[in-house]
Structure formats: structure tokens, C-alpha cells
């Protein structure tokens, strides 16, 4: 995905599949089918720089429908997801080789599949793959994982690997092309090829340890390492230098990221589930960050739950970042992308979930509906609103 979509990070907070879980009932059959339909809408406003660099508005709207189906059968779990992100932004329309365009819409379509196999009471293996495509982006992702629970059922260990191969050339979904042809540069900088690569590869490794502390608390630690190589800069992002000259953004072609998440879940008084998460992050671009997050599930009754959440995020600036007209022409690497700047983010939201379960013909049927709203504010004058609506049903 383009660097601009880093600004859509709060959408990740709206992935509510974690709430759409059926309870395991003693009469439930081993076979189960789950269906989930999600609609996300994200509205952003700000005035740091346009998608293509320089000075300009950061206003955009993202519409994100998706559909997921999961089939659980004996020792096998199959899942399939298809969805899209439809992006409306004034500066999005400038990222192509089409001189005249009546539309300011861009779209990403993605699909993922997964397979999990239970080899014993304590050992699971999973495999997954996916495809994501838009006008100047094609990505293939695949991975596998293993998880094991000890005999006491109090410890769970996991290891996951995922690999992404991205082609950043334009032309895949544009009339008259339908094949990757060239990288997109700002219109006034298309007199030369600024990069000799167009691919980006990412390798992600994640460990997990869950431990049940007691009847009411469990604790998890999740270290993660990511290595990227290839074209890590954004070809269509222009940089204005202190002497008035203009170039395409340039960043190193290798990046190493390290992160660790610590989670504590607590069950309080039978009606409250409190989820606390602390994350730290550092990479070779010079960014250091941490976040604190709390999510509380308040069970009003057996069918209704209220879910408030709050998150604070802080990051330092990349050593390659400077604002408009503040980069030096003598630098080897440079960017004015505010996603790589120093900022703090405050995110607060609330969700309401209604769930109904009944037993019919000796089968457990579960249906739920959830709506969630979040407000995000960055210290660099960017703010956003997002809403998510989820329909979920399962049948044993």
C-alpha cells in the first residue's frame, strides 16, 4: 500500500473480528460456519502536506467494506476474506499518467485465505496467503505459524512468519494498460528515472507467549522483527529543499523494525473485561515509538455489551525527515512525509455490541451486531473520525 495509507493506521483498531467469537457449548458440534460482514468508513482532515508532497490538505475519505467466511470442521479451519478500500482525495487524482480525470477516487482490492490444522490437543499449524492490488501497487503475502499449549493448559507459545512481495509500478488496473509499466513520479519530475528498482520485500517474524496467571488474569508478551528491502521511498512524493530545488523522496533501501507488545487481560466482577496493551517500537530510520491502550468490555446483560477504548501513541522523528524547504540538498536521504515526523496521537472511541444466541435442533446459533465510533487527533494538526459496523452469524 502507498505510504499515504500509513495514515489509515487507526482502521486497524476497527478490526472487530476478535469480538465475533461464538462461545463453546457442551452440545455444540465440531463443525461450525462463521460469516462476518464489515463496513468501515474513515474521514481524515489536516493541512501538513498533500499526498504528493509540498504544502497542501490531507483531507481524504476511505470506504472499506469486507466479507469473511470461516469453516471449522473437525481438526481443520478454513477462512476466506475479500474486501476493498475506496479512497476519495483531491491529491489522489494526481497520482497517475492520465492527464484528465473526472474522478478523484482510488481503490484497493484485497483477498486473503487461511488454513489451520490441529495435529494434537496441544499443537496447531496454520498457513495463509493473500493478494492486494490497486492502480500502482500489487502485493502478494504468504506465511505460516505454529502454536503449542503445554499440558497444564496455562501456557501457550506461538511463532509466525509472513512475507510480502510488492510491485510498485503503475498501470495494472488502468484502461489501455492492465500491466505494470512504470513508477509514478510527480508531474514536473518525470524527465528521468529516479529509481532503478520497483520492488519491495518484507519479512516479518513474531513470537508469542500467553500465560494464565489465575482465574481472572492472563498475560502475554509478543516480540516482533521486520526486515524490508527494495524501494522503501514513495516515488510520487516530492521534496522541496532549502535552496528552492526539487527532487523525489529518497530513503535507504533497507529497513529493520523491532517491536514488542505486552498485554494484560483481566476479568472483573463477572461483568467487566479489561484489556491493557503496551507497545514499544524502534527502526533503523531513527523512529522510536510507544503506545498505551485500554479497552474495557462492560456486559450490561447476556445480550448487550458496551466497549469503550482509549489509545495514546508517541513517536520520534525519522533522521531523514524535515519539513517543507528545510531539507538540505547535500543530504543523501530525505523526506517530508509527516508520517515519519515527530508527533503524538490520541484515539478514543466506544462500541456497542448486541449478541443473541439460541439452541435450535440441538445446534447453537449465534448472531451479533456491533457499531463502533473512534476519534483520532494528532499533535501535528491531523484529525480523523471513523465508524465501523459489523454483522456476524455462526451455526454449529
Amino acid at each position: 500500500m502507498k505510504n499515504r495509507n500509513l495514515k489509515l493506521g487507526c482502521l486497524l483498531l476497527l478490526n472487530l473480528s476478535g469480538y465475533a467469537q461464538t462461545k463453546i457449548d457442551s452440545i455444540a458440534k465440531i463443525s461450525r460456519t462463521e460469516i462476518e460482514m464489515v463496513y468501515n468508513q474513515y474521514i481524515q482532515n489536516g493541512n501538513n502536506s498533500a499526498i504528493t508532497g509540498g504544502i497542501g490538505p490531507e483531507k481524504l475519505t476511505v470506504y472499506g467494506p469486507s466479507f469473511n467466511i470461516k469453516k471449522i470442521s473437525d481438526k481443520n479451519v478454513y477462512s476466506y476474506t475479500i474486501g476493498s478500500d475506496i479512497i476519495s482525495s483531491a491529491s489522489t487524482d494526481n497520482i497517475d499518467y492520465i492527464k484528465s480525470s473526472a474522478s478523484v477516487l482510488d481503490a484497493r482490492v484485497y483477498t486473503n485465505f487461511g488454513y489451520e490444522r490441529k495435529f494434537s490437543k496441544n499443537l496447531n499449524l496454520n498457513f495463509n496467503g493473500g493478494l492486494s492490488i490497486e492502480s500502482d501497487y500489487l502485493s502478494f503475502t504468504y506465511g505460516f505459524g505454529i502454536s503449542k499449549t503445554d499440558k497444564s493448559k496455562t501456557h501457550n507459545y506461538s511463532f509466525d512468519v509472513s512475507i510480502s512481495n510488492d510491485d510498485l509500478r503503475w498501470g495494472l488496473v488502468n484502461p489501455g494498460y492492465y500491466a505494470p509499466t512504470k513508477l509514478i513520479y510527480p508531474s514536473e519530475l518525470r524527465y528521468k528515472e529516479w529509481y532503478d528498482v520497483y520492488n519491495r520485500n518484507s519479512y516479518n517474524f513474531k513470537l508469542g507467549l500467553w500465560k494464565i496467571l489465575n482465574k481472572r488474569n492472563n498475560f502475554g508478551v509478543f516480540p516482533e522483527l521486520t526486515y524490508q528491502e527494495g524501494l522503501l521511498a514513495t516515488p510520487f512524493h516530492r521534496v522541496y529543499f532549502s535552496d528552492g530545488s526539487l527532487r523525489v523522496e529518497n530513503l535507504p533501501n533497507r529497513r529493520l523494525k523491532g517491536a514488542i507488545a505486552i498485554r494484560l487481560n483481566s476479568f472483573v466482577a463477572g461483568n467487566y473485561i479489561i484489556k491493557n496493551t503496551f507497545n514499544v517500537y524502534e527502526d533503523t530510520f531513527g523512529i522510536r515509538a510507544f503506545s498505551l491502550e485500554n479497552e474495557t468490555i462492560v456486559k450490561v446483560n447476556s445480550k448487550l455489551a458496551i466497549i469503550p477504548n482509549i489509545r495514546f501513541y508517541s513517536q520520534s522523528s525519522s533522521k531523514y525527515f524535515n519539513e517543507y524547504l528545510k531539507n538540505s540538498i547535500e543530504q543523501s536521504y530525505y523526506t517530508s512525509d509527516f508520517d515519519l515526523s515527530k508527533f503524538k496521537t490520541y484515539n478514543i472511541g466506544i462500541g456497542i455490541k448486541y449478541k443473541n444466541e439460541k439452541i435450535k435442533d440441538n445446534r447453537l446459533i449465534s448472531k451479533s451486531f456491533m457499531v463502533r465510533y473512534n476519534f483520532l487527533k494528532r499533535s501535528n494538526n491531523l484529525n480523523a473520525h471513523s465508524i465501523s459496523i459489523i454483522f456476524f452469524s455462526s451455526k454449529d
Side-chain angles (χ1 to χ4, degrees), residues 300-317:
V300 179
N301 52 47
S302 61
K303 295 183 178 181
L304 183 65
I306 299 174
I307 309 171
N309 71 89
I310 186 169
R311 184 176 188 265
F312 171 75
Y313 173 84
S314 176
Q315 80 169 39
S316 64
S317 174

Side-chain angles (χ1 to χ4, degrees), residues 2 4 51-52 87-106 190:
K2 302 165 185 161
R4 72 171 183 273
I51 291 170
T52 50
I87 305 164
S88 174
S89 168
S91 53
T92 299
D93 193 42
N94 297 322
I95 310 173
D96 56 34
Y97 281 100
I98 301 173
K99 294 183 179 180
S100 177
S101 174
S103 172
V104 294
L105 293 179
D106 194 10
R190 294 174 181 172

Side-chain angles (χ1 to χ4, degrees), residues 89-332:
S89 168
S91 53
T92 299
D93 193 42
N94 297 322
I95 310 173
D96 56 34
Y97 281 100
I98 301 173
K99 294 183 179 180
S100 177
S101 174
S103 172
V104 294
L105 293 179
D106 194 10
R108 177 178 77 103
V109 178
Y110 60 90
T111 182
N112 300 285
F113 66 89
Y115 170 71
E116 182 175 346
R117 171 75 176 181
K118 186 174 183 179
F119 284 91
S120 68
K121 293 182 178 180
N122 302 323
L123 181 66
N124 286 14
L125 292 179
N126 66 80
F127 304 88
N128 61 81
L131 166 69
S132 178
I133 186 173
E134 59 181 294
S135 60
D136 62 337
Y137 173 88
L138 173 65
S139 177
F140 294 96
T141 301
Y142 38 93
F144 69 92
I146 183 171
S147 65
K148 181 176 176 57
T149 304
D150 68 354
K151 294 181 180 180
S152 67
K153 304 294 184 181
T154 60
H155 292 76
N156 179 270
Y157 309 92
S158 63
F159 174 66
D160 293 278
V161 177
S162 63
I163 300 172
S164 295
N165 303 124
D166 307 331
D167 185 331
L168 304 178
R169 291 175 293 177
W170 174 86
L172 285 164
V173 294
N174 293 279
Y177 293 90
Y178 300 117
T181 59
K182 59 186 76 177
L183 293 172
I184 294 289
Y185 301 118
S187 57
E188 71 276 28
L189 295 174
R190 294 174 181 172
Y191 60 85
K192 60 174 284 188
E193 286 294 328
W194 292 85
Y195 307 115
D196 57 4
V197 295
Y198 55 82
N199 292 317
R200 177 179 60 213
N201 301 311
S202 302
Y203 309 90
N204 181 265
F205 308 89
K206 185 175 183 179
L207 294 172
L209 167 63
W210 268 112
K211 176 177 173 59
I212 297 176
L213 301 177
N214 51 50
K215 292 182 179 180
R216 295 186 178 274
N217 299 281
N218 55 62
F219 174 81
V221 180
F222 302 90
E224 188 171 357
L225 186 67
T226 301
Y227 173 72
Q228 292 181 300
E229 62 177 5
L231 180 54
L232 305 185
T234 304
F236 51 78
H237 185 84
R238 55 173 66 84
V239 176
Y240 293 83
F241 292 87
S242 56
D243 64 354
S245 60
L246 180 63
R247 291 182 179 179
V248 172
E249 175 186 81
N250 191 34
L251 292 171
N253 59 8
R254 290 181 175 84
R255 187 180 190 183
L256 186 64
K257 306 177 183 180
I260 186 169
I262 300 173
R263 299 175 186 171
L264 176 64
N265 295 344
S266 301
F267 302 85
V268 182
N271 294 325
Y272 303 91
I273 301 174
I274 301 174
K275 300 182 178 182
N276 296 300
T277 304
F278 173 67
N279 290 277
V280 292
Y281 168 92
E282 186 172 359
D283 67 24
T284 53
F285 280 15
I287 294 177
R288 294 181 178 180
F290 76 92
S291 67
L292 295 167
E293 183 175 358
N294 171 267
E295 179 181 82
T296 301
I297 302 175
V298 182
K299 296 183 179 180
V300 179
N301 52 47
S302 61
K303 295 183 178 181
L304 183 65
I306 299 174
I307 309 171
N309 71 89
I310 186 169
R311 184 176 188 265
F312 171 75
Y313 173 84
S314 176
Q315 80 169 39
S316 64
S317 174
S318 167
K319 55 189 174 184
Y320 309 122
F321 173 83
N322 277 297
E323 297 183 17
Y324 177 72
L325 294 178
K326 292 186 178 181
N327 277 290
S328 170
I329 197 68
E330 297 178 355
Q331 295 172 234
S332 298

